[in-house]
Amino acid sequence: MDLKVRLCLLLITLSWTVNLMSVSAQEEDEADVMDMDDGEVDIGDDILEGDAETEATDEAPTEPPIPKVTYKAPEPMGEHFFAESFDKGTLEGWITSKAKKDGIDEEIAKYDGEWEVEDMKDTKLPGDKGLVLKSRAKHHAISAWLLRPFNFDTMPLIVQYEVNFQTGIDCGGAYIKLLSQTEDLNLDEFVDRTPYTIMFGPDKCGEDYKLHFIFRHKNPKTGEYEEKHAKKSDSDLRSYYTDKKTHLYTLVLNPDNTYEILIDQTVVNSGSLLTDVTPAVNPAAEVEDPDDHKPEDWDERPKIQDPDAVKPEDWDEDAPAKIADEDAVKPEGWLDDEAEYIGDPDAVKPEDWDEDMDGEWEAPQVPNPACEAAPGCGKWEKPTIDNPSYKGKWKPPMIDNPNYQGVWKPRKVANPDYFEDLHPFRMTTFSAVGLELWSMSSDIFFDNFFVTSDRNTAERWANDGWGLKKAAEGAADPGLVKQMMTAAEERPWLWVVYVLTVALPVVLIIVFCCTGKKKPAAADYKKTDEPQPDVKEEAEAEAAAEAEAEVEEDEEEAEAEEEEDVKQEEQTADKKSDLEDSPAEEGANDEDSPDGEEEDADKSGEKPEEDILRRSPRNRKVRKE
């Protein structure tokens, strides 16, 4: 009974939990709209808009209007080097490349991909514009100057911007480049080979989802630059490319050479520029000597064949692996004269068969019907079995090589190109940001580019821009019930899942709480010899108690009888002593009363019999200790 109660409570708790989860999910959607960190987004009577009047001709009630979030362009507040929200609706300050890409066909060498400033297709914030990559399968390049160059000294670098793959992404990137400050930097000629300091952002082709962080490190000895790639993120990035929502990408570089990569203000990758990039910033202090060569007599064999081993005389290398089973007997009914396959008797030579061209026509082979009932047809041969005498080709056993010298490696020498840069954060100054992309998808939306050295300023910009989009998207997202209904309309089989999910707990509750094993009535037991469970237990308990009481009573009676016996023996002894003292009286008494003597004799004869019966083991119970 306790188990049923526990199961019922568990099922009821699970049902309440599901209801609370759905309610909390709706409350979170509302909270995303109502709560903003800076308090600059007000959702009240002036923001929540809906139709207050309905037409009288409407038969069905209209759905409540979706809360709307009023857009307000973010304004940079604090130290920053670049801020762009595109809310002016133009490409003012941006320069599209007029160059051509080297080393490819003339038809696709031009950077002729189109850029537009417009709202998102399914915008939840009217008036929030962004930079949109419009063309597919074309090269795109656009860039803009910073307010002033960024120098890597004692302040961190924070770069962030927003991306929305409005139509998904098949193969292409959405990363930005921080263009290095050089004397010949010309944004009109911005191409893939234009020097950059950092490349950062999402990139995807096929099922490879990447989030690049690449920086170009200058070799202090040679002056050459080498690309260093941050380690791959352990997070699953798939949803950021497929959910068609706006995501905020942030890169943080600190003067202590640590870095953080965030998506939607959540860290998805972090590490050190000294230890978590490939190839490593600092080369090895020692390298293998290119002039060192392995000696000709160097023995790298750990095992060799035993030169002293001799093939045993009884080793037969020619013995076959399989032999005929001499104990096998041909099954009875085997048809030796019947072929396993015969020509199809129903087959007819095609009319267009030309024996000169096609050769002599033969009917196709079919299984012989005469062999269907027989164990086999054709010539019977004994089956083969493993040859117990087979040993195969003899080989000498392997032993440890006494001349083994190990695996040869060239000796180590000092690396002539060795250097140690303990401050890779001090990268090349950059003075512009740019997008140089090839994509097989169009309508990639970019917005709210920001470069700063103050993290609080970056977070404030993110809350005013991306935070507003998140709130608007959350307000427009349907509730849990509506999402389930929509999914069921697209996939009708989900109705079965919903019904089972709701009905199964109800059925279990009814089964465990409202039903159970029916206890048989006393009348049912009277019809059979089967005892009632409770009555049987009570009867056993009462019987045990009565047995104990009887034992105690018997013991008390036995003790009382023993005391009486002792008293009677004492009285008998006293009488005997009295008789010995007065024999005359005894004789007189005997003469005067012969009948009394007979009665005494009768009584004395009866008394021993009673004592024997009373003292018999059958009539006495064992005394409890």
Side-chain angles (χ1 to χ4, degrees), residues 301-467:
R301 300 172 300 167
K303 297 281 187 180
I304 60 172
Q305 293 182 348
D306 185 0
D308 299 329
V310 179
K311 183 176 72 172
E313 294 181 359
D314 59 347
W315 192 284
D316 187 2
E317 294 184 346
D318 298 329
K322 297 283 186 178
I323 59 173
D325 185 3
E326 299 298 335
D327 297 331
V329 179
K330 183 173 67 174
E332 295 183 2
W334 188 279
L335 304 179
D336 296 273
D337 300 331
E338 293 287 345
E340 188 175 0
Y341 291 93
I342 61 173
D344 187 358
D346 299 329
V348 179
K349 183 175 72 173
E351 295 180 358
D352 58 348
W353 187 274
D354 188 350
E355 293 188 355
D356 295 335
M357 297 292 295
D358 303 324
E360 183 180 356
W361 180 82
E362 294 181 357
Q365 298 290 302
V366 296
N368 189 345
C371 301
E372 293 180 358
C377 294
K379 182 180 179 181
W380 181 81
E381 295 180 355
K382 294 182 179 181
T384 59
I385 59 174
D386 293 334
N387 185 359
S389 302
Y390 174 75
K391 296 182 179 180
K393 185 175 179 60
W394 181 84
K395 294 181 181 180
M398 303 297 290
I399 61 173
D400 293 334
N401 184 1
N403 299 322
Y404 177 64
Q405 296 174 273
V407 178
W408 182 86
K409 293 180 180 180
R411 62 175 176 266
K412 296 283 188 178
V413 297
N415 185 359
D417 299 325
Y418 174 74
F419 63 86
E420 187 177 27
D421 181 3
L422 299 179
H423 304 285
F425 170 78
R426 298 172 185 173
M427 304 177 191
T428 304
T429 300
F430 64 92
S431 57
V433 298
L435 298 168
E436 188 271 319
L437 305 169
W438 165 275
S439 178
M440 294 303 295
S441 302
S442 60
D443 296 316
I444 302 176
F445 183 90
F446 299 88
D447 200 6
N448 294 330
F449 291 89
F450 199 67
V451 180
T452 182
S453 59
D454 182 47
R455 194 156 187 172
N456 291 331
T457 302
E459 290 179 356
R460 188 182 300 112
W461 173 271
N463 291 333
D464 292 347
W466 172 78

Side-chain angles (χ1 to χ4, degrees), residues 182-200:
T182 59
E183 295 180 356
D184 57 349
L185 178 60
N186 182 3
L187 300 186
D188 289 325
E189 299 296 323
F190 176 34
V191 293
D192 59 329
R193 296 183 180 180
T194 301
Y196 67 88
T197 300
I198 292 174
M199 189 177 89
F200 167 67

Side-chain angles (χ1 to χ4, degrees), residues 28 35 45 142 167 184 230 242 289 349 354 404 413 432 438 454 490 563 580 587 603 614:
E28 288 178 1
D35 298 333
D45 295 336
I142 192 169
T167 59
D184 57 349
T242 58
D289 186 0
K349 183 175 72 173
D354 188 350
Y404 177 64
V413 297
W438 165 275
D454 182 47
E490 297 176 357
E563 292 178 356
E580 290 176 355
K603 292 180 179 179
R614 186 170 58 248

Side-chain angles (χ1 to χ4, degrees), residues 475-493:
D477 283 344
L480 179 62
V481 176
K482 190 170 182 179
Q483 291 180 9
M484 295 173 64
M485 297 290 288
T486 304
E489 291 177 358
E490 297 176 357
R491 305 173 184 84
W493 56 268

Side-chain angles (χ1 to χ4, degrees), residues 43-64:
I43 302 178
D45 295 336
D46 56 334
I47 296 177
L48 300 176
E49 299 179 1
D51 296 331
E53 299 178 358
T54 56
E55 296 181 0
T57 56
D58 294 341
E59 297 180 359
T62 58
E63 295 183 358

